[in-house]
Every structure is written in C-alpha cells, then in structure tokens.
Amino acid sequence: MANMKDAHTPLGCLAFEADIIDGKAFAAGLMARVKTEVDEIRSTGDKVPGLAVVLVGEDPASTVYVASKRRETQAAGMNSFEHRLPATTSQDDLLTLVGQLNADPTVHGILVQLPLPSHLDADAVIEAIDPAKDVDGFHIANAGKLAVGQTALVPCTPLGCIMLLKDRLDDLTGLHAVVVGRSNIVGKPMAQLLLQEDCTVTVAHRYSRDLPTLTRMADIVVVAVGRPEMVRGDWIKPGATVIDVGINRVIQDGKSRLVGDVAFAEMGHARAITPVPGGVGPMTIGCLLSNTLEAFRRAQARDAAAVKENL
Ligand code: NDP
C-alpha cells in the first residue's frame, strides 16, 4: 500500500487521501508464490506445468504481451511453448494446432492471443480449447461453471481484481458493487466473482441510464469500458474502493501515456484506487500463471484418479 503523499503521482496534492493499490507489488508476491510451488513440483516429480501461447500475425501490442508472458512463464520455472503463426493462417490450421496442444500432456494451459486476424473466428477457436487447459477462462464451459458457482478456470483480469479487493477490504459481504462494462472477458465474470463474495451487484453498460447516480451508490466500483477517464470524481462516493481496469493510450502535451477509464486525479476522496499503469494490469499475468499451476494440479489429480481406477 502506498499513500499519495509519498508516491510518484500525476497529482502531488495533499488533499488526495485515497490509498493507491499497488498491483505491481501484489502481482510480484503472487508470482513468487507460484514460483515456489513450481520449484517444489520440479524437485519432487518429473513433470512441470507448461503454458502454450499461440500468436497469429504480428499485432504490435500482442507481440509485446506474448513476449512478456514467455518471460514470466520461464521466470516462474514453467515450460513455455510459443507458437507464432502467420497472419494468413487458416481457421483449419489454427484449429489443428489447438487440437495438438489439447492432446499434448506436457501442455497444461493454452492461451490463444486475442484479437485474431479478422478472417478467423475467435469464438470457434476458444471453444476448441480443452476447458481443462483454458487458462484464459474464456471457454463457455468455464464461463458456465463460474455462473453456477462450480470450480472453474476464471478469466485472469477479473480474478486479479477480486484478489486485490479481498486483500484490501477483507470481507466483501453485503457491499454494493457496480461493475461498469459487461464484456465476457472482464465485466460479466467480474460480476459473478463479486456475487460469490456476497456483494450486491449492479452491472452497467452503454445503455445504462444515469450512470453517475448508479456508481455513486456503490461501495466498490469496477470500471472496464475502454474510455479514457470516463468516470469522474463526482461519480464516486467518499470512501468507495475503485478498481480501474481500463488501459487507454492518449496523447497529452505531445506525449503518449497510458490512462485508465477513471479520472485518477479526481479520486482523492475514495478509500482506495488502482492506478494505471501499475494496478490491475500486472495482476493479469500473475493470474495467468496461477491458473496454469491450477490446471497442472487438476491434471495431476485426474491422472492419479485414473491410475487408481485401473488398479
Ligand atoms: P469491451 O470493449 O469488450 O467492453 C466494453 C464494455 O464497456 C461494454 O460492455 C460496453 O457496453 C461498455 N461501455 C462502453 N461505453 C460505455 C459507456 N459510455 N458507458 C457505459 N458502458 C460503456 O472491453 P473489455 O472489457 O475487453 O476491456 C475494457 C477495458 O479494459 C479496455 O480499456 C481494455 O484495454 C482494458 N483491459 C485491461 C486488461 C488488463 O489486463 N488490465 C485486460 C482486459 C481489458 P455494451 O456492452 O453495451 O457495448
């Protein structure tokens, strides 16, 4: 936890009393815990968790994400399998690769980097991934399990958000959470996770009426919209906790910089807020590794059960 008074911030204003939620530090702790577990697995067995990442084309942002996933996967002691395919790859060829990764016992997690080139059907590709290896948590089987409260692989970004919230607030029971955004990868799973924590959950979207009034009612506001600084200070009640998922590149004073979906400098009256960058973003990759470890453990448990059954 850092306070605005001693942090490097764009505001530098003493009236800003909100705590800054340091996602970078939390993610580093999460990754260190994953590494410790992987080291133990490595020292006691012949298998280690393996993550396969598939990149189709050369989208610059995706290329950077994939490289950082490889680095972090290897740093955690896991096997990293990277598959780079040309932008002209056909749907059939991509599905064939997914099928091979599904069948590969050294691969415990599969991530197909989105967005895919427009001629490819991302939904069909996601549905082709074995749900037990779907470490992005996007497969309909995992989305369904999350919705009915069964054990699932949970999408990494909302998983990171709920970890930060529980760390900060401890017990979320009975709090009113407003989630702004209803995408399948952030908003909807976020709402499910908050429901599991016994929050009262409101999900808002572009057709929601009087959004500022809705967010002002909330103890927790999670914003995943993709609109730079859309949520203003007077949309947030004093003492609320604000999770800003948005990542927007803007040009200010001739310089390019990242801002969230929340007007950070206006949030001094919040109880706590995630900054952009350095808040939710670093958690996503930590949760990806955590999901890969979880998928590995479940695969080991299934293998052990199958051996027992055949005895
Ligand atoms: P999507 O574009 O898939 O979804 C955006 C959501 O915001 C939609 O539900 C949309 O509503 C809603 N919305 C758009 N405009 C408004 C508005 N004016 N008022 C209220 N709601 C609105 O985005 P994602 O969920 O994929 O991502 C959201 C943001 O989070 C982006 O900035 C993205 O870069 C960032 N992100 C960050 C990650 C991280 O690791 N930190 C990971 C994933 C995303 P409707 O459904 O009605 O269209």
Side-chain angles (χ1 to χ4, degrees):
M1 181 201 324
N3 192 285
M4 199 66 179
K5 297 182 196 79
D6 54 22
H8 277 292
T9 67
L11 188 63
C13 166
L14 288 179
F16 195 108
E17 292 295 335
D19 283 337
I20 312 295
I21 301 175
D22 188 344
K24 211 171 163 185
F26 193 97
L30 175 62
M31 291 203 256
R33 289 195 292 282
V34 169
K35 183 175 185 328
T36 303
E37 285 194 48
V38 174
D39 287 347
E40 276 168 24
I41 291 166
R42 194 179 274 280
S43 66
T44 54
D46 54 353
K47 284 188 175 173
V48 284
L51 173 64
V53 176
V54 180
L55 174 63
V56 185
E58 287 166 8
D59 175 73
S62 295
T63 305
V64 171
Y65 293 145
V66 165
S68 96
K69 282 167 188 166
R70 183 200 334 115
R71 260 196 320 276
E72 297 297 346
T73 305
Q74 290 169 343
M78 296 184 186
N79 289 330
S80 168
F81 308 101
E82 204 171 292
H83 296 267
R84 287 173 176 250
L85 306 180
T88 51
T89 299
S90 69
Q91 182 84 5
D92 282 351
D93 285 351
L94 182 53
L95 291 176
T96 300
L97 173 60
V98 169
Q100 287 164 354
L101 297 173
N102 283 342
D104 185 340
T106 66
V107 171
H108 305 93
I110 301 170
L111 181 151
V112 178
Q113 184 67 44
L114 301 177
L116 290 172
S118 56
H119 67 283
L120 295 172
D121 178 350
D123 287 345
V125 174
I126 290 166
E127 293 320 309
I129 296 172
D130 178 349
K133 297 188 178 188
D134 167 41
V135 284
D136 254 343
F138 295 165
H139 193 285
I140 198 163
N142 282 315
K145 282 182 177 173
L146 179 63
V148 295
Q150 288 182 16
T151 306
L153 285 166
V154 176
C156 301
T157 300
L159 182 59
C161 294
I162 204 80
M163 283 181 185
L164 292 176
L165 280 168
K166 286 172 76 173
D167 178 64
R168 176 62 44 157
L169 300 174
D170 192 24
D171 184 7
L172 310 188
T173 307
L175 297 181
H176 183 196
V178 172
V179 181
V180 189
R182 58 171 167 180
S183 70
N184 289 338
I185 65 171
V186 189
K188 282 181 194 152
M190 187 73 235
Q192 298 294 353
L193 290 169
L194 288 160
L195 269 179
Q196 281 184 8
E197 296 302 321
D198 296 322
C199 288
T200 302
V201 182
T202 301
V203 182
H205 45 78
R206 76 177 70 231
Y207 302 105
S208 298
R209 291 188 191 160
D210 198 0
L211 195 50
T213 300
L214 287 177
T215 53
R216 260 194 301 272
M217 288 162 59
D219 305 300
I220 295 170
V221 181
V222 181
V223 191
V225 164
R227 290 177 176 258
E229 302 188 328
M230 183 184 85
V231 174
R232 313 307 309 190
D234 63 354
W235 294 30
I236 300 295
K237 78 174 175 189
T241 300
V242 181
I243 303 289
D244 189 354
V245 181
I247 303 176
N248 308 286
R249 189 161 286 285
V250 296
I251 307 289
Q252 266 175 5
D253 303 327
K255 285 187 189 149
S256 163
R257 70 182 192 101
L258 292 181
V259 298
D261 290 342
V262 174
F264 181 88
E266 298 173 15
M267 296 296 152
H269 58 296
R271 170 172 175 165
I273 177 166
T274 54
V276 177
V280 173
M283 290 298 292
T284 299
I285 195 151
C287 289
L288 174 67
L289 300 183
S290 171
N291 274 353
T292 305
L293 179 59
E294 187 58 37
F296 171 85
R297 291 211 181 281
R298 289 182 202 163
Q300 296 289 91
R302 279 194 304 275
D303 289 351
V307 168
K308 209 168 161 192
E309 196 145 293
N310 289 331
L311 283 179

